[in-house]
Amino acid sequence: MADSSFDIVSKVERQEVDNALNQAAKEIAQRYDFKGVGASIEWSGEKIEMRANSEERVKAVLDIFQSKLVKRGISLKALDTGEPQSSGKEYKIFGSLKEGISQDDAKKVAKIIRDEGPKGVKAQVQGDELRVSSKSRDHLQDVISLLKGKDFDFALQFVNYR
């Protein structure tokens, strides 16, 4: 019998992020506490730009956007935001999306699978993803449970399970 396998990736569906951003923009436009304060959220190239007239309000814009991402099933670990920056009378926060697993992170995950996972499970780094294979599908399920129980500083998804 052939080995079963799955891939561990760190990807974000751009359309879902776009939908969350549009929902956040709608809510900001409709909320009374954001009337006349220049609060907005929009794409600025590959980054997400949030702006308002005070540091507290721009953080509230970020909070609204994060809540919309969570509702759409996107991990907040995939969103990388900076500190509020003052530019004239406005405050801005820039956010970017993190995708792909770095070589160091992939090695950490592979080491956890080797050390704590079931015997006979192999993990191979393939670019910005990790292929996990085993003869037993139960062992693969155990690896998924093991990794879901760990707290990484990046989002993980399990795809191509076969």
Side-chain angles (χ1 to χ4, degrees), residues 124-140:
Q124 301 169 306
V125 178
Q126 295 181 333
D128 61 350
E129 58 185 46
L130 201 67
R131 165 82 37 97
V132 180
S133 58
S134 171
K135 293 203 181 305
S136 165
R137 287 180 171 242
D138 291 340
H139 287 345
L140 293 180

Side-chain angles (χ1 to χ4, degrees), residues 3-34:
D3 283 4
S4 300
S5 67
F6 67 89
D7 294 335
I8 302 172
V9 296
S10 182
K11 290 192 172 131
V12 177
E13 201 168 320
R14 175 77 182 226
Q15 184 61 51
E16 289 296 327
V17 174
D18 211 28
N19 291 342
L21 188 126
N22 291 334
Q23 285 180 336
K26 250 186 219 172
E27 184 173 324
I28 290 163
Q30 292 173 347
R31 272 183 40 176
Y32 180 75
D33 55 336
F34 286 119

Side-chain angles (χ1 to χ4, degrees), residues 140-156:
L140 293 180
Q141 293 289 340
D142 294 342
V143 169
I144 291 175
S145 299
L146 171 73
L147 294 176
K148 282 185 177 177
K150 298 287 182 190
D151 187 32
F152 297 105
D153 57 348
F154 51 94
L156 290 181

Side-chain angles (χ1 to χ4, degrees), residues 57-69:
R57 288 214 173 96
V58 79
K59 285 181 177 175
V61 170
L62 174 61
D63 193 44
I64 290 170
F65 181 53
Q66 287 176 334
S67 72
K68 299 299 180 192
L69 285 175

